[in-house]
Amino acid sequence: MKRIAVVGLGYVGLPLAAAFGEKREVVGFDINAKRIAELKDGVDFTREVSRDELAAARHLSFTDALEDIRDCQIYIVTVPTPIDEHKSPDLTPLVKASETIGKVLSAGDIVIYESTVFPGATEEVCVPVLEKVSGLVFNQDFYAGYSPERINPGDKEHRVASIMKVTSGSTPEIAEEVDALYAAVITAGTHKASSIKVAEAAKVIENTQRDLNIALMNELSMIFSRLGIDTHEVIAAASTKWNFLPFKPGLVGGHCIGVDPYYLTHKAQAIGYHPEIILSGRRVNDNMGPYVASELVKAMIKAGQTIARARVLVMGFTFKENCPDLRNTRVIDVVKELREFGCNVDVIDCWAESHEAEEEYGITLIDEPGADYDAVLLAVPHREYAGKSSGELRGMMKNNGVLFDLKGVLPLGESDIRL
């Protein structure tokens, strides 16, 4: 049985490595020595894989030494694919991972990519790097596959094995081998795509579709706010129709939905097509942070408050609830805008790592909320926060304080404002 190396042990790579590690020998490789040391001690800071699950993956070992994966025959790449400050794809992690694998690649090996990319990236960007570094010839000496990740951070119901996996390979024979590889651990089954490009495109449109649906709800929320209608009531009413899709308004961040559409639009523009609808949805969602802040400020003014030096508590800073992932969190946009208005903003998050918030965003998280706030913004409803009553939340505010329930988790009428 071929030995597997999973390159990149984040939210995607570790759960996959653990799933394979229950059945066959697999080496988890990451350049972060601190991460490797923690995993060897059974600690996963992402909270995606428990100590018991790591122990159950008895065939899984961890390393940050390249030589430890030289004798592997299958390499699965699960590194992040972010965007830069210009919202263009940043393929640096993917290229560096390919360079690393190229140094240990041998004849007959297969390199499978799981990172989200634009259609064509595997064969047009990654494979040439593998060829250059290894000196081997693609589809003659080594082969490639693509199987897009479908991890949903913080979701304990939909795990690696219970989510159907799309697979593909650079030749029909390799496609069969890649499909069989995943089928052995994916209980939900696999879908073998006809080509790597088809599999790449399938992944990028999954999140693009979701992004557009949320953008629609965000725009409707702005309209309904002007009409004096509660958006969540409207959605509940519309949801009584069997084919209505009950998406809800909110901030769109994270490493997928807020990023992946830019990979597709980048490729579209490269081939001479300007995508109107996708970019329009992105503009709506990218501007939601300032909109949330302005709506809160307007509500505070109506409550008779002075905005300059007003004290605001923002509860939750990660990109989604019940997850420590701070990547591309759009709560930062709300915080920055409130501070531009002159507010003094405290940010609390019981899931986030304080040092990461400081390093990535310059935000110092407080340990405990104070009192007498002029406004409380329930931005990310971690279960610790969503479990609080409106009375408890109002207990942290002045008598004329404003409670903003961004995602509508409190019963109707118990907050002063929500999207």
Side-chain angles (χ1 to χ4, degrees), residues 266-387:
H266 168 82
K267 186 64 174 181
Q269 291 168 329
I271 58 175
Y273 180 81
H274 183 73
E276 299 284 354
I277 296 175
I278 299 172
L279 287 175
S280 177
R282 277 282 75 234
R283 283 192 295 272
V284 170
N285 287 341
D286 277 346
N287 288 321
M288 283 306 290
Y291 172 76
V292 167
S294 66
E295 289 295 288
L296 177 56
V297 167
K298 284 191 288 185
M300 292 168 68
I301 292 172
K302 289 178 181 178
Q305 297 181 10
T306 300
I307 301 305
R309 292 180 295 283
R311 296 181 66 237
V312 179
L313 174 66
V314 174
M315 301 182 71
F317 192 61
T318 59
F319 92 89
K320 65 179 293 188
E321 58 268 25
N322 306 322
C323 171
D325 196 347
L326 287 174
R327 287 177 295 174
N328 194 37
T329 177
R330 299 317 338 144
V331 179
I332 185 62
D333 299 337
V334 182
V335 174
K336 285 181 176 179
E337 193 74 7
L338 287 173
R339 287 178 173 171
E340 284 292 316
F341 277 112
C343 297
N344 294 321
V345 183
D346 284 346
V347 183
I348 187 170
D349 195 305
C350 56
W351 281 75
E353 294 286 342
S354 297
H355 69 89
E356 187 178 352
E358 184 73 49
E359 292 171 4
E360 294 296 322
Y361 301 100
I363 294 292
T364 301
L365 300 177
I366 63 171
D367 294 324
E368 294 292 338
D372 294 328
Y373 286 104
D374 296 290
V376 169
L377 170 60
L378 181 54
V380 185
H382 297 307
R383 51 177 166 264
E384 292 85 351
Y385 302 154

Side-chain angles (χ1 to χ4, degrees), residues 53-80:
E53 288 171 328
L54 284 174
R58 60 187 184 280
H59 304 297
L60 171 61
S61 60
F62 300 105
T63 186
D64 59 347
L66 184 58
E67 285 303 310
D68 290 343
I69 62 172
R70 184 177 290 277
D71 61 347
C72 292
Q73 296 85 43
I74 297 175
Y75 298 90
I76 302 178
V77 181
T78 59
V79 297

Side-chain angles (χ1 to χ4, degrees), residues 5 58 89 92 101 156 176 245 260 293-294 298 303 307 316 375:
R58 60 187 184 280
T92 303
I101 293 171
K156 299 307 179 185
E176 287 286 348
L245 302 177
D260 296 354
S294 66
K298 284 191 288 185
I307 301 305

Side-chain angles (χ1 to χ4, degrees), residues 89 91 94 115-126 146 195-206 208 260-271 278:
L91 297 175
L94 205 57
S115 308
T116 302
V117 292
F118 52 76
T122 298
E123 292 158 297
E124 297 166 12
V125 177
C126 301
Y146 184 79
S195 69
I196 287 176
K197 279 188 178 180
V198 168
E200 291 169 327
K203 171 57 184 178
V204 80
I205 72 166
E206 288 174 15
T208 298
D260 296 354
Y262 287 119
Y263 275 76
L264 184 56
T265 58
H266 168 82
K267 186 64 174 181
Q269 291 168 329
I271 58 175
I278 299 172

